[in-house]
Amino acid sequence: MKTAPASAKMQGCAGQAGSGGAMQGSAPLFEVVPAGIFGPLASANRRNYWSLLCRLFDEFFGPDAPVPPSHGFPRREITAAIERYLLADDPWEDEDGQAPDAPLNVRASAIHDRFRAAGWLRQERIGAREMVTMPPMVAQLLSTLVEFSEHGPTFVSAKMRSVELQLQQVAEGRMDGGILDEAADQARRLLVSLASMGLQVRDLMPELSKAETTAQFARQWFERYVGQLFIGDYAELHRADHPMARRSSILAMVQQLESGAPREALVAWYREHVTGGDEARAQQRLARSLGRLRELERIDDYLARLDEDIRQANRRALAFLDYRLRAPDKLDVLLRRACRGVLSAPEEALRLPVAPGPLMDEARLRPPQRKPAPIPRSANATAPPTPEQLARLSLLRRMKRARLVNAEDMARYVGRHLQHGAALESAQLGIDGIEDLRAYQTLLTLALRGNRIGGLRREDPLGRLLRGFRVELLDAGDSDDNDYLRGPRFRILRVGAAHPLESA
């Protein structure tokens, strides 16, 4: 198999060693993300920290979550989500091996502080509130890690078509180095995936051979090998119309871009948009992208090695299955037990163990095995509810309805007290039953929410109960006592009526 030069392999990732021992040409990872970001993922609870990060990413900061506010989420909302996760699934252990016994809110706050100290979360104070966000580069890193952990079978067809279409855009006159870099990166990722596929197959076989039963081996073989490690379109790689046949067209377009006016246009694009006017760095950037695309010449070598690894894995799997199916269970134990029995048995016991009489007599044959009659199927019987269950269900529905306040109930309660006047204070409201008590509680809640900064929010579901009237809080310090509730005083005003102070 052909190998690339060492300089090409180390391009973009290696350099001369500095005085401190660090590689000066290596990618500056910790200049982009916080230095201690991998601390939680290297601790004893790394699996639990990873699960929490994925859940927070899906619910608050990821692409599948609703659009987050520009100033972030309140700290209490994040810690409450962590508390829900701990309450639903709590396999955590302390770093010393002891099970944590702290209160749930304390543990959730400690986990939040751990993520904040490591750099996964950022907390800022806006006014009197503490708002939490995830830095953009950290969110991009987490998205990359999630995509890497969820990586499935490789589809060579889609990647080759994508590279070809991007190069066609560049060859047709759109001299955009960004498109060329993206095509080069896809070609590199395709080769890396094919190169690692054979190693995954070889590493999987010793692990599958440890299966204790034939059924366990077969299940792992088809679930992990065929379902997860196999190339999605492997059966179509050698067909005439497969996009692999377009590899010569891709290499021809790369050769056209290496010289003449297209090369000068691409170098000018890199010099203007990437290297800040540096001609040498622009030439190197273009050479790196074109070199990665030329590596597609070696894709046949990778596929040939992968074919051999898969054939060898299939032969080993078939031999293992054939041995497990033919050999009795624990054959070595049975053979050792038989040898010990023969060596310790007396001589007269070693004769042929057959009864007197003809060996091939019809009476000695086993009778034919008769299949039992199938059990007749019947539908599942359903038992009707008892009168007590029906009465309990009716009582439960009446209890829930008595505690529910809708717009009609509120209009009926307010209209009964606000028939002739334009304003009414809370001390004048009467309570004759549980329905009136719940209506009074709802009016008190509307008065308290309407007294906040900004008033009653538009999305507040209680706002739909205000039909033809509004509620105002009179004095948050003074309270009314109506033998059932003690709360602040409030006033009910008919919509359109003048305020009492304005009319005075």
Side-chain angles (χ1 to χ4, degrees):
M1 182 180 298
K2 300 179 182 179
T3 57
S7 59
K9 293 182 179 180
M10 302 296 291
Q11 183 180 6
C13 187
Q16 298 296 331
S19 58
M23 302 297 290
Q24 295 180 355
S26 60
L29 174 63
F30 294 104
E31 294 182 7
V32 182
V33 298
I37 195 168
F38 297 106
L41 302 181
S43 62
N45 290 309
R46 53 187 177 274
R47 296 181 182 273
N48 305 322
Y49 280 123
W50 172 251
S51 178
L52 265 181
L53 280 174
C54 292
R55 291 182 177 184
L56 291 175
F57 187 70
D58 292 339
E59 184 174 352
F60 296 100
F61 308 107
D64 297 331
V67 180
S70 59
H71 53 272
F73 297 92
R75 173 190 169 98
R76 180 54 194 160
E77 190 172 347
I78 301 298
T79 55
I82 298 177
E83 290 180 14
R84 292 196 306 269
Y85 303 152
L86 296 178
L87 188 62
D89 187 12
D90 191 9
W92 288 59
E93 291 186 359
D94 201 355
E95 301 295 338
D96 298 332
Q98 302 294 330
D101 54 358
L104 196 63
N105 57 345
V106 176
R107 295 176 54 203
S109 180
I111 293 174
H112 172 270
D113 294 339
R114 180 73 184 273
F115 284 155
R116 177 186 174 188
W120 289 104
L121 299 177
R122 176 191 298 164
Q123 181 173 312
E124 299 176 347
R125 180 176 293 274
I126 301 178
R129 298 181 300 172
E130 294 179 346
M131 310 303 291
V132 179
T133 58
M134 180 174 286
M137 297 306 298
V138 174
Q140 184 178 357
L141 173 64
L142 183 56
S143 176
T144 304
L145 293 176
V146 171
E147 180 182 359
F148 175 79
S149 62
E150 297 175 351
H151 178 69
T154 302
F155 289 88
V156 181
S157 171
K159 293 185 179 295
M160 290 294 293
R161 289 187 185 276
S162 178
V163 172
E164 181 184 7
L165 292 176
Q166 289 173 339
L167 283 181
Q168 285 179 356
Q169 294 182 14
V170 178
E172 290 173 358
R174 185 177 177 182
M175 297 303 172
D176 191 340
I179 300 177
L180 184 64
D181 285 348
E182 179 64 25
D185 292 339
Q186 289 197 26
R188 171 61 62 88
R189 287 194 294 268
L190 174 60
L191 293 179
V192 171
S193 176
L194 293 177
S196 62
M197 185 67 65
L199 297 177
Q200 289 177 338
V201 172
R202 290 195 295 270
D203 293 342
L204 179 63
M205 289 308 301
E207 183 180 353
L208 293 179
S209 301
K210 299 177 183 178
E212 298 180 358
T213 62
T214 306
Q216 183 180 0
F217 176 85
R219 182 172 58 253
Q220 293 182 357
W221 173 259
F222 285 102
E223 288 180 356
R224 300 188 57 187
Y225 174 68
V226 179
Q228 297 180 7
L229 301 179
F230 215 60
I231 298 178
D233 52 352
Y234 179 78
E236 304 173 357
L237 286 180
H238 303 287
R239 293 171 54 181
D241 58 343
H242 192 269
M244 287 296 298
R246 303 296 300 169
R247 181 188 52 180
S248 58
S249 174
I250 294 176
L251 296 176
M253 286 186 287
V254 171
Q255 187 175 4
Q256 293 177 2
L257 298 176
E258 286 181 334
S259 60
R263 179 181 180 86
E264 297 297 330
L266 288 173
V267 170
W269 189 93
Y270 280 112
R271 185 173 59 249
E272 178 181 359
H273 295 86
V274 179
T275 62
D278 190 345
E279 179 72 16
R281 289 179 56 196
Q283 296 279 355
Q284 293 176 0
R285 187 64 178 269
L286 177 61
R288 187 193 68 172
S289 298
L290 295 178
R292 290 183 175 181
L293 290 169
R294 283 196 302 269
E295 288 180 358
L296 290 176
E297 296 178 353
R298 301 188 297 147
I299 196 169
D300 284 340
D301 299 333
Y302 287 104
L303 291 176
R305 188 179 68 178
L306 179 60
D307 289 341
E308 180 61 30
D309 292 335
I310 291 178
R311 283 193 294 269
Q312 184 178 0
N314 288 333
R315 288 194 296 267
R316 292 184 59 183
L318 291 176
F320 184 85
L321 287 174
D322 183 73
Y323 170 77
R324 296 298 294 268
L325 292 176
R326 290 175 179 271
D329 193 18
K330 300 180 180 178
L331 179 62
D332 51 350
V333 177
L334 297 177
L335 291 176
R336 284 194 296 267
R337 187 181 301 171
C339 293
R340 287 196 303 266
V342 171
L343 294 177
S344 60
E347 185 177 355
E348 59 270 15
L350 297 179
R351 64 181 182 86
L352 189 63
V354 294
L359 296 179
M360 303 299 294
D361 188 61
E362 182 180 358
R364 294 180 177 272
L365 298 178
R366 189 180 65 178
Q369 185 177 4
R370 297 182 179 180
K371 186 177 181 180
I375 301 176
R377 298 181 179 180
S378 60
N380 295 331
T382 58
T386 61
E388 181 182 356
Q389 292 175 342
L390 293 176
R392 288 180 178 272
L393 181 60
S394 177
L395 181 59
L396 180 60
R397 290 174 178 172
R398 291 179 60 187
M399 291 169 56
K400 290 183 177 180
R401 181 61 186 91
R403 287 164 173 79
L404 178 65
V405 180
N406 53 27
E408 290 74 12
D409 297 337
M410 182 62 69
R412 191 182 307 112
Y413 178 73
V414 174
R416 193 174 71 219
H417 295 85
L418 199 64
Q419 293 182 356
H420 306 291
L424 182 67
E425 293 191 4
S426 57
Q428 302 173 359
L429 296 174
I431 299 178
D432 299 331
I434 187 65
E435 294 85 357
D436 293 350
L437 179 61
R438 286 292 296 120
Y440 185 91
Q441 287 179 328
T442 306
L443 290 173
L444 178 58
T445 304
L446 285 169
L448 292 174
R449 292 187 181 179
N451 194 45
R452 296 181 302 188
I453 299 177
L456 189 66
R457 293 189 177 92
R458 178 180 299 177
E459 65 273 10
D460 197 323
L462 293 182
R464 295 192 293 268
L465 303 180
L466 297 174
R467 293 184 177 179
F469 66 94
R470 65 179 187 270
V471 186
E472 294 181 355
L473 189 67
L474 293 178
D475 189 358
D478 194 5
S479 62
D480 285 340
D481 188 359
N482 55 11
D483 297 333
Y484 298 100
L485 290 176
R486 177 176 295 175
R489 297 171 53 245
F490 60 90
R491 177 193 295 120
I492 303 176
L493 297 174
R494 191 188 301 274
V495 174
H499 197 277
L501 296 179
E502 296 175 357
S503 60

